[in-house]
């Protein structure tokens, strides 16, 4: 009993309990869109550009509430939680460099394409022939293959009943086939005799990087002297042989080259011309974007536009709703996210008239609609920010969730407090439990340390049953942090440690800890 008197009646001089819970809620929202556009052109006879754009927006919100309570002895309690969520604006600025590097010389050095085996199929008025080659050290004719389609009119007399020869003559040389056909199928061997005169002209005209198998490729694309001359006249003289083959395969002619020069695209690299032609991009397609301020657009962006089926009408739709000057990379992101002018107009009508393009991308990727935004405006959140909406959606906060708090008298809850509420799973029912105990006009930030320390209305009611009424709300975290519970107080009372001041029980608990 002497100890009890000492603790409860005569606390040590100058000793204090400093209880300073400082919960910090820091939701971090990070949205990133990374459209990856990969353009690949493999022209020998067929050139293809494939652009894949994948926009990924992944906002991550991490809310952390840490209430630190450090009791010493006589409590001076200051519970002033700082709930200041820092929402980092989502940066959805895809750094897109769609630069199809198709200037690639795919040279097969260990296979002789000049002679080998052939397998053919007649398909109506077309003859599809697969050429196969082998290396010098093997008899396996699966080392290389190339399939081309010819017109049946090129072969007026195919050997049908017995083995024979038939040939195809072009300016690049003569291709002799030996074999026969049975029904619509044929097979045999082939040999190409190149036209030396054309070969010498090509070599002397400035064409570079010529390889042993290039005469077969020249024959395949039906290269002619006049075509080489045309390219030279239009500025393509000293080009690599593989570019010459690609341009010829894509049937890039003088009018096509000159059409781009007419709109300011001079000195277009050969591989860029191949990419443009393989995507069926015309000068008119490019020119149509200039009316919306898109002038001198890099060709790799033009390729991206076409690969995603972005038309001038698509851009015009945004201009029509008052959303102008969208950066090129955002146009690409818009299209990849299937963002329409109607979607943007809805957001503008909901109050976000100056919403940034990267935020539009973030909204669409998170399935944020104008109706979702309007739902908060309708219940009084008229000045809610673009980034608060992103945080709300990420935390699955709905207007109905907020209405629950309004219904119990909690008005004007700040957006960052709502984010903290949802991250801590604070519900209207939880707060109403304290209101029913007599705690009226509870500030939003005062609820956060209670929930973070798992303080419930039942915890408070336990003290009320022992006669402790009107406990200040800010004293509750100190009680909980020191381990003072209704059960502990009842036990101490049974042992003779009686006081009408809960702080004395905190001192008692602390003295033994």
């Amino acid at each position: 009993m002497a100890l009890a008197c000492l603790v409860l009646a005569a606390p040590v001089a100058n000793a204090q309990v400093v209880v300073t819970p400082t919960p910090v809620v820091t939701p971090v929202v990070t949205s990133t869109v990374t459209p990856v556009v990969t353009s690949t052109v493999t022209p020998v006879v067929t050139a293809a550009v494939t652009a894949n754009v994948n926009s990924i927006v992944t906002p991550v919100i991490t809310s952390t509430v840490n209430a630190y309570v450090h009791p010493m002895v006589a409590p001076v309690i200051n519970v002033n939680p700082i709930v200041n969520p820092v929402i980092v604006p989502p940066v959805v600025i895809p750094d897109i460099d769609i630069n199809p590097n198709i200037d690639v010389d795919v040279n097969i050095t260990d296979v002789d394409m000049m002679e080998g085996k052939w397998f053919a199929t007649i398909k109506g008025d077309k003859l599809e022939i697969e050429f196969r080659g082998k290396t010098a050290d093997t008899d396996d004719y699966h080392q290389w293959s190339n399939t081309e389609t010819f017109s049946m009119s090129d072969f007026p007399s195919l050997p049908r009943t017995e083995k024979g020869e038939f040939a195809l003559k072009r300016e690049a040389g003569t291709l002799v086939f030996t074999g026969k056909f049975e029904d619509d199928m044929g097979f045999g061997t082939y040999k190409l005799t190149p036209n030396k005169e054309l070969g010498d002209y090509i070599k002397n005209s400035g064409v570079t990087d010529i390889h042993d198998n290039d005469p077969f490729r020249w024959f395949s694309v039906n290269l002619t002297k006049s075509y080489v001359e045309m390219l030279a006249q239009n500025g393509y003289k000293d080009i690599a042989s593989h570019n010459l083959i690609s341009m010829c395969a894509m049937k890039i002619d003088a009018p096509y080259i000159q059409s781009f020069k007419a709109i300011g695209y001079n000195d277009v690299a050969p591989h860029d011309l191949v990419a443009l032609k393989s995507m069926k991009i015309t000068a008119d397609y490019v020119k149509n974007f200039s009316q919306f301020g898109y002038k001198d657009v890099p060709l790799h962006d033009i390729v991206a536009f076409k690969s995603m089926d972005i038309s001038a009408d698509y851009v015009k739709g945004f201009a029509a709703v008052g959303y102008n000057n969208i950066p090129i990379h955002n146009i690409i992101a818009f299209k990849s996210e299937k963002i329409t002018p109607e979607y943007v107009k809805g957001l503008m009508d909901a109050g976000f008239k100056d919403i940034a393009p990267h935020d539009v991308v973030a909204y669409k990727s998170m399935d944020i609609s104008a109706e979702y935004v309007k739902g908060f405006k309708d219940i009084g959140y008229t000045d809610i920010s673009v980034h608060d909406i992103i945080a709300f959606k990420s935390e699955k906060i709905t207007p109905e969730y907020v209405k629950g708090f309004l219904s119990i008298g909690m008005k004007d809850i700040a957006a960052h407090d709502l984010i903290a509420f949802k991250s801590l799973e604070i519900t209207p029912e939880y707060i109403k439990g304290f209101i029913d105990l007599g705690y009226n006009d509870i500030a939003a930030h005062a609820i956060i340390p209670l929930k973070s320390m798992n303080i419930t209305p039942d915890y408070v009611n336990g003290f009320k049953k022992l006669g402790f009424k009107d406990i200040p709300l800010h004293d509750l975290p100190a009680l909980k942090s020191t381990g003072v519970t209704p059960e502990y107080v009842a036990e101490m009372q049974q042992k003779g440690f009686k006081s009408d001041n809960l702080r004395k029980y905190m001192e008692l608990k602390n003295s033994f800890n």
Side-chain angles (χ1 to χ4, degrees):
M1 283 300 184
L3 177 60
C5 293
L6 174 62
V7 173
L8 296 178
V12 178
N14 298 325
Q16 296 185 3
V17 171
V18 179
V19 182
T20 309
T22 308
V24 179
V25 180
T26 309
V28 179
V29 181
T30 306
S31 302
T32 307
V33 171
T34 311
V36 179
V37 181
T38 306
S39 301
T40 305
V41 175
T42 311
V44 173
V45 176
T46 302
V49 173
T50 304
N52 298 318
V53 179
N54 300 316
S55 299
I56 303 173
V57 179
T58 310
V60 179
I61 296 187
T62 305
S63 301
T64 306
V65 177
N66 296 319
Y68 298 104
V69 183
H70 300 292
M72 302 297 288
V73 186
V76 176
I77 303 174
N78 177 23
V79 181
N80 185 20
I82 301 172
V83 184
N84 185 22
V86 179
I87 301 177
V88 180
V91 181
V92 187
I93 305 178
D95 183 12
I96 302 175
D97 183 13
I98 308 162
N99 193 356
N101 183 15
I102 55 172
D103 187 12
V104 178
D105 183 5
V106 183
N107 179 43
I108 303 174
T109 58
D110 56 348
V111 172
D112 182 8
M113 299 180 187
M114 307 304 286
E115 57 182 305
K117 291 188 176 183
W118 62 269
F119 299 85
T121 304
I122 299 173
K123 296 181 178 181
D125 62 349
K126 301 294 181 183
L127 180 61
E128 186 178 274
I129 301 178
E130 178 189 4
F131 297 90
R132 292 183 186 177
K134 69 179 185 68
T135 57
D137 57 352
T138 181
D139 291 328
D140 182 6
Y141 279 89
H142 291 84
Q143 302 299 308
W144 165 82
S145 70
N146 181 52
T147 300
E148 298 181 32
T149 301
F150 302 89
S151 173
M152 282 293 293
S153 61
D154 292 332
F155 304 97
S157 56
L158 295 176
R160 295 283 188 174
T161 57
E162 59 184 23
K163 185 176 180 180
E165 286 189 355
F166 59 102
L168 177 62
K169 187 173 183 179
R170 288 176 169 175
E171 190 172 332
T174 301
L175 187 59
V176 177
F177 298 86
T178 302
K180 70 173 182 174
F181 280 80
E182 294 180 1
D183 296 325
D184 292 335
M185 307 289 288
F187 63 94
T189 60
Y190 75 88
K191 183 174 182 178
L192 174 67
T193 302
N195 180 352
K196 185 176 183 302
E197 181 181 346
L198 177 64
D200 290 342
Y201 174 79
I202 292 173
K203 292 174 184 177
N204 295 329
S205 66
V207 175
T208 61
D209 298 328
I210 298 174
H211 302 293
D212 291 342
N213 285 320
D214 281 356
F216 181 85
R217 298 187 179 102
W218 297 340
F219 182 91
S220 296
V221 298
N222 199 13
L223 183 65
T224 64
K225 178 180 177 182
S226 62
Y227 187 80
V228 179
E229 290 175 340
M230 179 276 294
L231 289 183
Q233 291 167 3
N234 284 276
Y236 298 94
K237 183 178 181 181
D238 300 323
I239 64 173
S241 178
H242 64 272
N243 282 326
L244 174 63
I245 294 165
S246 299
M247 294 172 81
C248 186
M250 295 306 302
K251 297 180 171 56
I252 296 172
D253 55 18
Y256 188 77
I257 296 170
Q258 292 163 11
S259 67
F260 282 95
K261 289 185 177 183
I263 61 172
Y265 288 88
N266 298 303
D267 303 319
V268 179
H271 63 271
D272 283 331
L273 274 175
V274 172
L276 293 169
K277 190 66 186 294
S278 69
M279 295 294 294
K280 299 181 181 179
I281 296 171
T282 65
D284 286 340
Y285 173 81
V286 179
K287 188 177 179 180
N288 284 337
F289 290 101
S290 63
Q291 61 185 304
F292 305 108
Y294 298 99
K295 297 180 179 180
D296 302 321
V297 179
L299 289 175
H300 59 264
D301 286 326
I302 294 296
V303 172
F305 272 32
K306 194 65 165 62
S307 71
M308 300 192 67
D309 197 26
I310 296 173
S311 66
D313 286 340
Y314 180 72
V315 178
K316 182 180 179 180
F318 293 102
V321 299
Y323 204 72
N324 299 298
N325 303 318
I326 308 171
I328 290 172
H329 61 265
N330 287 130
I331 287 287
I332 296 169
F334 275 24
K335 188 68 174 182
S336 71
E337 283 292 321
K338 299 180 181 178
I339 294 170
T340 64
E342 292 74 22
Y343 178 77
V344 175
K345 186 177 186 301
L347 297 178
M348 295 171 70
D349 291 345
F352 296 137
K353 296 189 181 301
D354 299 318
I355 187 169
H358 61 263
D359 286 326
V360 173
V361 175
Y363 271 40
K364 192 64 166 63
S365 71
M366 296 184 70
D367 198 26
I368 296 174
S369 65
E371 289 73 22
Y372 180 76
V373 176
K374 191 174 182 297
F376 292 103
K377 301 268 186 178
D378 290 345
I379 59 175
Y381 287 83
T382 56
D383 296 325
I384 193 167
S385 74
V386 169
H387 300 136
D388 282 336
I389 288 290
I390 292 173
F392 277 20
K393 187 70 174 183
S394 177
E395 283 290 315
K396 299 180 180 178
I397 296 172
T398 64
E400 289 69 27
Y401 176 75
V402 181
K403 286 178 184 178
F405 296 105
L406 296 175
S407 69
I408 62 172
M410 295 195 71
K411 312 287 185 184
D412 303 321
I413 306 175
H416 61 260
D417 284 330
L418 283 171
I419 296 166
F421 275 23
K422 197 65 164 65
S423 68
L424 286 166
E425 299 182 357
I426 295 174
T427 64
E429 292 74 22
Y430 175 77
I431 297 175
K432 191 174 185 303
F434 290 97
I435 294 174
D436 291 344
L437 291 174
Y439 293 99
N440 297 310
D441 301 322
I442 305 174
H445 66 263
I447 291 293
I448 294 167
L450 300 180
K451 183 67 173 178
S452 70
M453 299 190 69
N454 199 28
I455 296 171
T456 65
D458 287 342
Y459 176 76
V460 180
N461 201 39
F463 290 108
K464 282 184 175 289
K465 290 178 180 179
L466 295 174
F468 296 96
K469 303 184 183 299
D470 303 322
I471 306 172
L473 203 63
H474 59 257
D475 281 354
L476 292 173
L479 286 167
K480 191 66 183 289
S481 69
T482 53
V484 175
T485 64
E487 293 76 15
Y488 174 78
V489 173
E491 181 184 354
M492 292 300 102
Q493 288 178 342
Q494 290 175 2
K495 293 181 179 180
F497 300 101
K498 296 183 178 181
S499 174
D500 59 359
N501 187 345
L502 282 173
R503 296 185 182 187
K504 297 295 184 180
Y505 291 98
M506 292 170 62
E507 295 172 21
L508 180 63
K509 183 77 171 177
N510 187 69
S511 67
F512 285 104
N513 288 337

